[in-house]
Amino acid sequence: MTVRAPRQPIDVIVIGAGIIGTACAEALAARGRRVTVIEHDTVGGGATAAGMGHLVVMDDNAAELALSSYSLGLWKELVGDAPQRHEYSRCGTIWVAADEEERAAAAAKAELLHAHGLACELLDAAALYRREPQLRPGLAGGLLVRGDGLVYPPKNARILLERAHRDGALLMRGRVRAIEDHGVLLEDGTRLQAAHVVLAAGAASAALLPQLPLQAKKGHVIITDRYPGFIQHQLVELGYIKSAHAASGDSVAFNLQPRPTGQILIGSSRQFDSTDTAVEPAMMARMLKHAIGYAPALAQLNVLRCWTGLRAATPDGLPLIGPCAARRGLWLATGHEGLGITTSLATAQLLAAQIVGENAAIAHDPYLPARFAQLRAAPEAPLHHGARAASGTPADDVQLSASAGMALL
């Protein structure tokens, strides 16, 4: 239902209605904040629609492990007893070890996950093939992480926005031209003001704030026809971690997902600084060849289509979650690279806790934007005699400067 925007204060503007933006809107609206989400395209579009929806604990460093494991717990709470509504499957992940060196890496990974209370099982070759007979002969084993799962990201973005709406959030259709102190300027000239502005636009965030340390990583995903039971778990080669955190060069990694529909998603690829979202047949062929090298029977399956998306990556591989000194009242929730779906719910809780002054379940310090020099506040110049210091604008003093069309979800 389309309505005219009420002339009342907005506490928080969220830029972007992908999985991160909608999660932030839901978390803030649940805390009583008056939230307006601005999106020019489809809710749950962009990288959210392009992603595989793999919910996975990643442990490249302590901060990544803390954020991803916390978020998986939040996903299980959100899904609850309605897995079909969320198109959720607790399929688990098997990290496939191609040789003894990778099996040793799997053992080290298992030890770390066990130390953090995460259920996993080290598999020898026989155990691996009992679970996944489509894998090629000669593999050394793997690691089964039982708590991992998958969801359909666009649908969950809509669910989160519906939950936010029940707490009063609004969706506004429009494109943000510029971020201002405590507000935004839209392409049609409308200015909206709020105490807080949350930038959650993924790879598009850098267009609105060029000083962000973000790099686009293009990825391809392939989907097959329906082959129920072809695989049972998300299958990922242990070499995927090197691919995911590489700083340059194009790469592919074996990554198969069994969708609840019986279809198979095939990934993954990474191309740096490419914003052209066209499908590239050469990269698609490279991905398929690599995947067939792990699961030869893939060569007999029918591919239905292929698409691409852009991941927003930071230099240290951790997202930007927290206040940004580039504008007064600005907060960041971006830079999640390939873990945006997994860590969306934890990101929202960390950000909302900072905005309202609560303690969060995990420390927010590793993800603060101020770890990058260009996002820190400049030292304040001394005031001259008679000068007045600028102050922030409290939410109760901020008004919509123009009436604009909004949609109740």
Side-chain angles (χ1 to χ4, degrees):
M1 180 173 63
T2 301
V3 298
R4 300 296 293 175
R7 297 189 63 83
Q8 65 182 29
I10 302 173
D11 295 328
V12 186
I13 294 169
V14 177
I15 304 171
I19 195 75
I20 301 293
T22 54
C24 289
E26 190 272 341
L28 287 160
R31 288 165 169 81
R33 288 343 188 236
R34 293 163 294 191
V35 178
T36 294
V37 180
I38 302 176
E39 174 59 60
H40 72 278
D41 205 343
T42 305
V43 172
T48 298
M52 296 180 78
H54 188 195
L55 302 178
V56 56
V57 171
M58 293 290 283
D59 60 343
D60 189 59
N61 53 62
E64 184 179 74
L65 176 58
L67 190 67
S68 59
S69 59
Y70 171 40
S71 206
L72 254 66
L74 295 173
W75 271 108
K76 290 167 187 172
E77 291 176 14
L78 177 67
V79 170
D81 59 358
Q84 290 184 330
R85 180 169 185 252
H86 295 266
E87 298 190 36
Y88 169 83
S89 170
R90 189 172 176 178
C91 60
T93 301
I94 294 181
W95 293 90
V96 179
D99 52 33
E100 289 305 320
E101 181 182 2
E102 289 190 356
R103 192 165 188 277
K109 187 179 181 74
E111 184 177 353
L112 178 62
L113 296 183
H114 276 306
H116 286 81
L118 299 168
C120 59
E121 179 185 353
L122 195 61
L123 307 175
D124 60 18
L128 175 66
Y129 292 122
R130 281 196 300 271
R131 287 169 173 80
E132 296 293 349
Q134 296 292 354
L135 290 170
R136 68 168 170 83
L139 298 171
L143 176 67
L144 170 60
V145 183
R146 300 183 185 279
D148 290 355
L150 60 91
V151 294
Y152 183 50
K155 185 173 184 180
N156 282 273
R158 294 192 293 270
I159 289 172
L160 288 166
L161 203 50
E162 289 167 1
R163 288 166 61 98
H165 167 58
R166 290 200 294 269
D167 288 319
L170 295 173
L171 172 67
M172 180 172 183
R173 297 294 183 180
R175 187 185 293 271
V176 176
R177 182 195 301 172
I179 301 173
E180 302 176 331
D181 290 343
H182 297 290
V184 297
L185 172 65
L186 304 185
E187 278 195 342
D188 66 2
T190 300
R191 275 192 163 87
L192 298 177
Q193 291 182 302
H196 309 284
V197 176
V198 176
L199 179 55
S205 299
L208 292 170
L209 210 63
Q211 60 266 55
L212 290 179
L214 293 179
Q215 181 181 37
K217 290 186 181 181
K218 179 179 178 179
H220 286 68
V221 179
I222 298 167
I223 191 166
T224 73
D225 207 339
R226 298 172 190 266
Y227 299 96
F230 182 78
I231 57 172
Q232 303 298 323
H233 307 81
Q234 182 101 18
L235 301 178
V236 189
E237 65 170 296
L238 275 159
Y240 172 90
I241 299 171
K242 294 178 182 178
S243 169
H245 295 288
S248 62
D250 297 346
S251 62
V252 297
F254 173 64
N255 190 345
L256 289 190
Q257 181 184 100
R259 296 301 306 171
T261 59
Q263 296 170 287
I264 308 297
L265 285 184
I266 305 172
S268 64
S269 69
R270 276 170 170 75
Q271 296 167 267
F272 287 78
D273 292 322
S274 174
T275 56
D276 179 3
T277 55
V279 171
E280 300 177 41
M283 180 56 73
M284 184 176 167
R286 184 177 169 188
M287 283 173 54
L288 285 170
K289 181 179 179 181
H290 190 70
I292 290 167
Y294 275 86
L298 279 174
Q300 308 304 315
L301 307 189
N302 293 323
V303 168
L304 293 183
R305 64 188 183 97
C306 178
W307 63 88
T308 70
L310 299 177
R311 310 174 183 94
T314 63
D316 62 5
L318 294 175
L320 303 168
I321 309 171
C324 178
R327 304 286 189 276
R328 286 183 292 174
L330 177 60
W331 300 78
L332 301 180
T334 189
H336 294 76
E337 220 268 86
L339 282 176
I341 310 302
T342 291
T343 61
S344 55
L345 302 186
T347 293
Q349 292 302 316
L350 287 182
L351 189 78
Q354 291 178 71
I355 288 176
V356 305
E358 295 176 355
N359 290 324
I362 63 173
H364 59 248
D365 303 78
Y367 323 103
L368 290 176
R371 69 186 188 271
F372 296 103
Q374 66 267 42
L375 302 181
R376 295 177 196 148
E380 292 188 9
L383 291 173
H384 297 296
H385 179 68
R388 297 178 62 188
S391 62
T393 307
D396 291 343
D397 294 338
V398 179
Q399 298 289 333
L400 285 173
S401 64
S403 182
M406 291 192 178
L408 284 172
L409 307 179

